[in-house]
Amino acid sequence: MNYELTQRFFFEAAHTLERVIETESSRRIHGHTYLAEVAVRGEPQPDSGMVMDLAHLRAAIAVVRDELDHRFLDEVPGLQRGTLEGLCTYIAIRLREQVPALAWVKVGREASGDACTLTL
């Protein structure tokens, strides 16, 4: 049997965007409350009965969350763009080494109903 184990976390961040629509407000520095969720996929290990110890997953997430929380995303090293797609990619890349069973990353803004999912 295959299981998916998920963990959610919030972070607050600001950014600017170059767009062809809603250009004025997007070019100004503005911020969002982001909700991110990551999933690991696999079979429970015989010795622990867990796909992955959630304490290890939370520790890996804490490092990435600190890199994004209360930051100006335009200045985060390694983040190409402060879009939902860019955030999914950034989180996946940053977690992959410590979380090899990473299955997907989702980043959304609940206040506006927007979300993006990167399936690995």
Side-chain angles (χ1 to χ4, degrees):
M1 287 193 231
N2 243 339
Y3 294 85
E4 281 190 357
L5 190 62
T6 64
Q7 182 69 52
R8 297 179 350 160
F9 63 101
F10 289 91
F11 62 95
E12 309 279 346
H15 68 141
T16 63
L17 287 176
E18 287 295 324
R19 300 169 71 180
V20 296
I21 190 168
E22 298 177 2
T23 55
E24 187 179 333
S25 61
S26 294
R27 288 183 181 147
R28 288 193 305 261
I29 295 173
H30 62 283
H32 304 282
T33 298
Y34 293 93
L35 170 60
E37 185 173 12
V38 300
V40 293
R41 181 180 299 127
E43 293 187 25
Q45 300 301 307
D47 58 331
S48 67
M50 296 181 275
V51 173
M52 179 180 189
D53 188 323
L54 281 174
H56 291 297
L57 182 57
R58 283 192 293 267
I61 288 170
V63 173
V64 177
R65 183 182 180 277
D66 186 58
E67 294 170 355
L68 298 172
D69 191 40
H70 286 84
R71 307 287 180 173
F72 183 46
L73 297 179
D74 299 33
E75 298 174 351
V76 171
L79 177 60
Q80 296 296 317
R81 288 192 172 83
T83 60
L84 294 174
E85 297 87 345
L87 288 164
C88 282
T89 301
Y90 179 86
I91 292 168
I93 289 169
R94 297 292 292 131
L95 287 179
R96 242 189 233 156
E97 257 186 57
Q98 293 187 27
V99 186
L102 190 64
W104 52 264
V105 175
K106 182 176 184 177
V107 178
R109 299 181 302 236
E110 288 191 335
S112 58
D114 305 323
C116 178
T117 303
L118 172 62
T119 304
L120 305 168

